[in-house]
Amino acid sequence: MSEVAQLEATAPAFDWKKWAALLGGLAIFFLIYFSPPWGDAIDPGGKAFTLSPEGKAAIGLFLMAGIWWVFEVIPIGVTAIAIGVFQALFLIRPAKEAFRDFMDPSVMFIFGSMIVGMAFTKSGLTKRIAYKMLAIVGENTRTILLGCLVVTAALAHLMAHTAVAATMFPILLAVLALYKEDQGASRFGKSLFMGMAWAAGAGSIITFLGAARGPAAAAMFTEFTGRQVSFFELPLYMAIIGWGMVFVIWLYLSIVFKPSKATIPGLREKVAKLSRSLGPISKNEIFVLVCVALVVLLMAMQSAVPALKSIDRAALMLTSTLLFFIFGVLKVQDLEELPWNIILLFSGAMSIGFCLWKTGAAEWMAVSWLGALQDAHWWVFVMGISAFVLAMTNFIMNVAAIAIALPVSLVIARYLGVAPDVIFYASLVTAGMPFVLLIGAAPNAIAYESKQFTPGEFFKHGLVMSLILLVVLGIALVTIWPLFGMPVLAK
């Protein structure tokens, strides 16, 4: 074979799918950007919300970025950079604002959470925890998957789901390494990591410690109704939904990604041997455990101790980062191993979220969507709100999705005679489980770093899980929650 023929044979084929998605996303952006002004959104009180040219452009950028992320036309972190670039080039927002969001405290919290996961791995805690868990759950692969999901969801009751995902990620890698010797994706790997991302969200809705969205929504609820949502009231209504979804996730993944091995023969003996080889717990392991426990304790105390309320969670999380490097648990070389692609992804997600918010685009979308439901039956109205929050939280930070949708929906609920309680809890359910896009929640993006699934696979199966979630919520609205005493209609 000639040299030219060899070059032609080894040249990569033209990727039509990639270029179609890339150009399609650009076409949608320009179509919306250059389109005539859109009509006002009108709330039930008659107030008009005008969509500015910048807001219209933000919606176009929002859709373009979503297409690029789903089809991964360029690395997901690079798409995030494009979000800032487009805002500056097309005068949607000043560059100073667009790129400042890339270092938002929420992004730094994610950075600190990943450092915690790295410290667990470097100190040896990851393997120790993984081996202990496997010794309990046994050799059946489906039982192992269930054990991983249960541990993930349980941890999300006590600490931020981002930190949980960062902690569980290396543990799941250790579990997967015992399942298969070769590299590459596997059905069991898809189940482990997609399941971890979804279970972290399901577990995080049950207490106020799982994510910032809970306290933020409770504050809005108090401002609107004058009533407090107690620490123990939230689990009363959310535990059955959260844990129910954990088991639904397990069943779905067990069926769709049925493991090629029903069991891992000899796993107990292998795990016992590996566990003994670790020896007694080291000083570094104890140090990491103490640091993380203190950070979690301080975050848990923020709601009860006034002096801690004004301290951002990112500062508390990054305190552990400083300690790990000061005391030599981590070295400067470890920073090179961080998944910067994922950190950039969330930087871009913050930027587009704030862009939609500050240009008024998000509020315009919320009023347009919810205003169309103002004459609907109460169940349709609540489900419509939940679906809107679910869609928004896959693109922007869930705190922002709650901040946009909850006040508007509580106002409209007055006209329909719907109790604010059911609006509050239903919104929190869907805000906590963005199953479709990697940018929907940090655990989604952290799970993607495993390279066990593609954004397209996550999107496809996430759509199915989102529909299942809405069905579960719809049933709870008319059965479980009223049975537990939740008011549905205003008195």
Side-chain angles (χ1 to χ4, degrees), residues 224-291:
F224 186 86
T225 65
R227 291 189 279 121
Q228 296 274 352
V229 179
S230 72
F231 187 86
F232 296 104
E233 185 180 350
L234 187 73
L236 173 66
Y237 297 118
M238 302 297 263
I240 192 164
I241 302 291
W243 278 107
M245 284 305 300
V246 170
F247 287 101
V248 169
I249 290 165
W250 172 65
L251 284 172
Y252 178 82
L253 293 173
S254 296
I255 295 168
V256 174
F257 298 118
K258 185 179 179 181
S260 55
K261 300 178 185 177
T263 61
I264 308 176
L267 180 65
R268 284 189 185 276
E269 293 77 10
K270 187 175 182 179
V271 164
K273 183 179 179 181
L274 290 170
S275 187
R276 287 193 298 270
S277 69
L278 293 176
I281 191 167
S282 67
K283 291 181 180 178
N284 273 357
E285 289 174 278
I286 294 172
F287 181 76
V288 171
L289 279 175
V290 170
C291 285

Side-chain angles (χ1 to χ4, degrees), residues 383-400:
M383 290 301 296
I385 292 167
S386 305
F388 177 79
V389 173
L390 182 59
M392 290 298 292
T393 201
N394 271 286
F395 282 94
I396 64 177
M397 17 173 217
N398 44 44
V399 176

Side-chain angles (χ1 to χ4, degrees), residues 93-426:
R93 279 201 305 164
K96 186 176 181 180
E97 292 183 21
F99 288 107
R100 183 171 55 203
D101 298 335
F102 277 61
M103 292 296 287
D104 184 82
S106 297
V107 177
M108 297 310 296
F109 182 87
I110 291 166
F111 170 83
S113 298
M114 289 182 170
I115 292 289
V116 166
M118 182 174 285
F120 266 68
T121 300
K122 296 292 180 178
S123 66
L125 270 173
T126 290
K127 290 183 178 179
R128 193 177 296 277
I129 295 171
Y131 298 158
K132 292 290 183 185
M133 182 178 69
L134 289 171
I136 294 170
V137 298
E139 299 180 350
N140 185 284
T141 47
R142 289 186 175 181
T143 308
I144 291 170
L145 174 62
L146 178 60
C148 292
L149 299 187
V150 167
V151 170
T152 301
L155 286 176
H157 296 357
L158 306 172
M159 56 197 290
H161 67 333
T162 302
V164 170
T167 302
M168 288 298 297
F169 180 82
I171 295 172
L172 298 187
L173 285 179
V175 171
L176 186 59
L178 292 170
Y179 173 78
K180 60 195 290 288
E181 300 295 332
D182 57 323
Q183 299 298 314
S186 68
R187 281 178 287 177
F188 186 58
K190 294 179 195 295
S191 295
L192 279 178
F193 288 95
M194 290 171 70
M196 178 270 285
W198 295 342
S204 74
I205 70 170
I206 296 172
T207 73
F208 283 121
L209 304 179
R213 80 183 88 86
M220 293 177 206
F221 182 82
T222 299
E223 186 177 343
F224 186 86
T225 65
R227 291 189 279 121
Q228 296 274 352
V229 179
S230 72
F231 187 86
F232 296 104
E233 185 180 350
L234 187 73
L236 173 66
Y237 297 118
M238 302 297 263
I240 192 164
I241 302 291
W243 278 107
M245 284 305 300
V246 170
F247 287 101
V248 169
I249 290 165
W250 172 65
L251 284 172
Y252 178 82
L253 293 173
S254 296
I255 295 168
V256 174
F257 298 118
K258 185 179 179 181
S260 55
K261 300 178 185 177
T263 61
I264 308 176
L267 180 65
R268 284 189 185 276
E269 293 77 10
K270 187 175 182 179
V271 164
K273 183 179 179 181
L274 290 170
S275 187
R276 287 193 298 270
S277 69
L278 293 176
I281 191 167
S282 67
K283 291 181 180 178
N284 273 357
E285 289 174 278
I286 294 172
F287 181 76
V288 171
L289 279 175
V290 170
C291 285
V292 173
L294 285 174
V295 168
V296 172
L297 179 62
L298 288 171
M299 286 194 287
M301 291 171 61
Q302 281 187 300
S303 59
V305 181
L308 294 174
K309 285 185 178 180
S310 59
I311 301 176
D312 193 277
R313 293 188 313 150
L316 294 175
M317 182 61 74
L318 290 171
T319 300
S320 64
T321 299
L322 295 177
L323 292 173
F324 294 150
F325 282 96
I326 288 170
F327 289 94
V329 176
L330 298 176
K331 308 294 182 184
V332 66
Q333 293 82 1
D334 295 321
L335 290 174
E336 298 175 6
E337 299 178 17
L338 276 174
W340 292 104
N341 189 42
I342 301 304
I343 294 171
L344 278 173
L345 166 68
F346 262 87
S347 298
M350 287 295 167
S351 188
I352 189 61
F354 281 118
C355 182
L356 289 167
W357 196 348
K358 293 181 179 179
T359 60
E363 192 172 37
W364 181 89
M365 288 191 289
V367 173
S368 296
W369 176 266
L370 299 178
L373 299 171
Q374 60 184 317
D375 296 322
H377 184 271
W378 74 264
W379 185 88
V380 175
F381 175 69
V382 175
M383 290 301 296
I385 292 167
S386 305
F388 177 79
V389 173
L390 182 59
M392 290 298 292
T393 201
N394 271 286
F395 282 94
I396 64 177
M397 17 173 217
N398 44 44
V399 176
I402 285 288
I404 292 162
L406 194 57
V408 176
S409 56
L410 287 173
V411 169
I412 297 175
R414 285 175 173 171
Y415 293 89
L416 296 179
V418 178
D421 307 68
V422 72
I423 303 290
F424 168 76
Y425 286 105

Side-chain angles (χ1 to χ4, degrees), residues 13-26 68 71 73-74:
F14 186 79
D15 193 340
W16 288 102
K17 182 180 176 182
K18 166 188 167 181
W19 283 98
L22 190 147
L23 296 175
L26 277 174
W68 284 13
F71 292 98
V73 297
I74 52 178

